[in-house]
Amino acid sequence: MGVRLSGGRLRAVPVWLVPATVTLLATLAGLDAAQPWRDELATWSAATRGVAGLFRLAGTIDAATGPYYLLMHAWLAVAGDSVAALRLPSALAMAATAGLTAVLGHRLWDTRVGTLAGLLFAVLPGTSRYGQEARPYALAGALAVLSTLLLVDALRRPSRWRWVGYAAATTALGLTHLVALTLLAAHAVAVLTGSVRTGPAAGGEVEGRAGESSGGGGRGSPDRLLGYWLATVVPVAVAVAPLALLARGQRARQLDWVDAARPGDLAALAGGVAQSGVVGGVLLGLAALGAARAGRRGLLPVSCVLAPVLLLFLAGLVVPIWVPRYLVFVVPFGCLLAGAALSSARLPAALAVVALTGLLGLPDQAALRRTHEWPRGATVDYRAVAEIVGRDRQPGDAVVYSPRDSWLFLDLGLRYHLGGRTPRDALLVEGQERRGDLWAVECDRPAECLAEVDRVWLVLAGRRSEPLAAVPGTKGDALRDRFAVARVWPRPGITLALLTRRG
């Protein structure tokens, strides 16, 4: 397996090396430039808890992400919780995804298709976006391609250990990202149609030996392969089912911000997962061209794109579950089809298209390194607020958040940047870890809890010209009765006010 030169000779370079290296360089560039956004703050909050706290969290709201949190808990214990440390596993996973995509392209087509597909994946803004996010999407992408690659090998050269490897990778995929198990529908198509049972295999071997991949009663016969696959999928289902059932019971609370799917969502999907409308359009066009030209050989990657998309969309029509980033794991398969389309051109021309695609995505690459907030531009500048508080805080200061129970995680944002220098949380009664949740419980008599406080740092969601008027309920009444606004610092998506006791 190597990178083919225009003259037809092979360099002694693995097909995965160049795409993986380019992807790693792209994702490491500006890895910690954008501050952690609210989803990453949830990851930090979960991963820095004890194991018992993680299990409590999984039992209340975030079971679907629990295995990823457990992995990050172990990682942060070694690497620390800096922004770069939080995101480095995702950057490495994206590099692995690019390399595995190149290998899968080599298995299904040839070295040129694999290399072009891997390089195209490397230059997508979405690759950098999710390779620089402390969430499970990059890891799910790597496991999705690995699972599919192991299936191809198991179908072409059936053996016990190949099926065991496929089962292990698919189980890990389900535990990392439940939605990614929709990929099994595409794998079923490959098994039933036999579309990947012949072609270039590992080490350059060509399959099709009698009794292995041809018909008849050998271990590579269609009926036996279907039996092997079903026998492999059963333990995967058994391993993932408890997590899926627990997550199903939490869906209404976990996804209460998601709307039902609409037909227009399908049209916007390519731009959503590529993190660029223009680049998404280019990728979609190339993938469609590759699918039209690939014929039977392209059935597996086509299915790996269409099956998850259609299944999630149809489910999203009934229950609110359609979130474009949940489908990031299908992008490598779209790149495979695009690579197949580009491979028909001369190599310099094909590489020029890849480079042009990267250039078209440069504005989005720059934007995602400024903020990860969604939708784009909805920045919440936790870091700026934390810098002000850290600079001007005095002994005895307290902090109050409004609202406390929103998905903005105002308290987590301040605590992440200030750590032990965060002022006392005057209204806190029960913290997130003890509660087994992502939100804290505040005292129901705020006037009493604030009785001994002379200065309050009030952290508000949004831009507020009248900070005290923006706090509702008894908490707002207590603050208005006892405190006056000394100074206000409006920042993107967030407002900080310093309150001092009247008189």
Side-chain angles (χ1 to χ4, degrees), residues 55-223:
F55 278 99
R56 281 196 299 272
L57 178 66
T60 58
I61 188 171
D62 215 356
T65 321
Y68 171 76
Y69 290 155
L70 191 60
L71 176 66
M72 289 298 292
H73 171 79
W75 168 255
L76 295 187
V78 176
D81 64 350
S82 67
V83 179
L86 278 169
R87 294 172 176 167
L88 184 56
S90 293
L92 296 174
M94 275 304 189
T97 304
L100 290 167
T101 300
V103 174
L104 182 58
H106 172 81
R107 294 282 204 278
L108 297 177
W109 280 278
D110 55 30
T111 300
R112 176 176 289 197
V113 171
T115 302
L116 292 172
L119 289 175
L120 184 61
F121 179 80
V123 302
L124 298 179
T127 298
S128 292
R129 168 66 174 79
Y130 296 104
Q132 294 187 347
E133 177 163 295
R135 296 299 287 173
Y137 309 119
L139 181 58
L143 290 170
V145 182
L146 176 62
S147 172
T148 306
L149 176 61
L150 293 174
L151 174 67
V152 170
D153 285 349
L155 290 175
R156 289 179 175 171
R157 297 187 297 167
S159 73
R160 176 183 301 174
W161 291 112
R162 287 191 177 89
W163 287 112
V164 168
Y166 170 69
T170 308
T171 300
L173 174 64
L175 294 176
T176 300
H177 189 29
L178 286 170
V179 172
L181 280 183
T182 53
L183 201 64
L184 287 175
H187 291 180
V189 171
V191 174
L192 292 171
T193 61
S195 58
V196 298
R197 288 173 54 217
T198 59
E205 299 178 16
V206 177
E207 298 303 312
R209 297 171 183 165
E212 288 194 10
S213 60
S214 59
R219 64 177 181 171
S221 66
D223 290 343

Side-chain angles (χ1 to χ4, degrees), residues 90-391:
S90 293
L92 296 174
M94 275 304 189
T97 304
L100 290 167
T101 300
V103 174
L104 182 58
H106 172 81
R107 294 282 204 278
L108 297 177
W109 280 278
D110 55 30
T111 300
R112 176 176 289 197
V113 171
T115 302
L116 292 172
L119 289 175
L120 184 61
F121 179 80
V123 302
L124 298 179
T127 298
S128 292
R129 168 66 174 79
Y130 296 104
Q132 294 187 347
E133 177 163 295
R135 296 299 287 173
Y137 309 119
L139 181 58
L143 290 170
V145 182
L146 176 62
S147 172
T148 306
L149 176 61
L150 293 174
L151 174 67
V152 170
D153 285 349
L155 290 175
R156 289 179 175 171
R157 297 187 297 167
S159 73
R160 176 183 301 174
W161 291 112
R162 287 191 177 89
W163 287 112
V164 168
Y166 170 69
T170 308
T171 300
L173 174 64
L175 294 176
T176 300
H177 189 29
L178 286 170
V179 172
L181 280 183
T182 53
L183 201 64
L184 287 175
H187 291 180
V189 171
V191 174
L192 292 171
T193 61
S195 58
V196 298
R197 288 173 54 217
T198 59
E205 299 178 16
V206 177
E207 298 303 312
R209 297 171 183 165
E212 288 194 10
S213 60
S214 59
R219 64 177 181 171
S221 66
D223 290 343
R224 283 184 175 271
L225 290 176
L226 177 60
Y228 292 153
W229 183 75
L230 291 174
T232 304
V233 170
V234 168
V236 174
V238 170
V240 176
L243 182 68
L245 291 173
L246 187 58
R248 180 185 178 186
Q250 300 170 357
R251 180 190 57 78
R253 189 180 183 198
Q254 180 73 11
L255 299 177
D256 60 359
W257 53 274
V258 180
D259 297 323
R262 295 162 296 185
D265 292 332
L266 284 176
L269 179 61
V273 294
Q275 288 289 288
S276 167
V278 174
V279 174
V282 172
L283 176 61
L284 183 61
L286 289 173
L289 179 60
R293 292 181 174 179
R296 183 180 177 86
R297 187 180 296 184
L299 184 58
L300 175 60
V302 167
S303 300
C304 288
V305 173
L306 292 183
V309 169
L310 294 178
L311 287 173
L312 190 64
F313 178 75
L314 293 175
L317 295 175
V318 180
V319 295
I321 197 175
W322 176 267
V323 181
R325 61 179 175 270
Y326 290 176
L327 291 164
V328 167
F329 68 91
V330 308
V331 173
F333 304 103
C335 290
L336 282 173
L337 295 169
L342 291 173
S343 67
S344 60
R346 296 179 65 86
L347 186 59
L351 291 175
V353 172
V354 172
L356 178 61
T357 304
L359 290 174
L360 290 173
L362 283 180
D364 299 283
Q365 295 274 11
L368 68 89
R369 285 165 174 81
R370 289 192 295 269
T371 177
H372 284 182
E373 290 288 347
W374 180 90
R376 184 72 59 81
T379 303
V380 181
D381 202 344
Y382 305 99
R383 183 163 51 199
V385 166
E387 288 173 352
I388 296 169
V389 175
R391 181 189 66 219

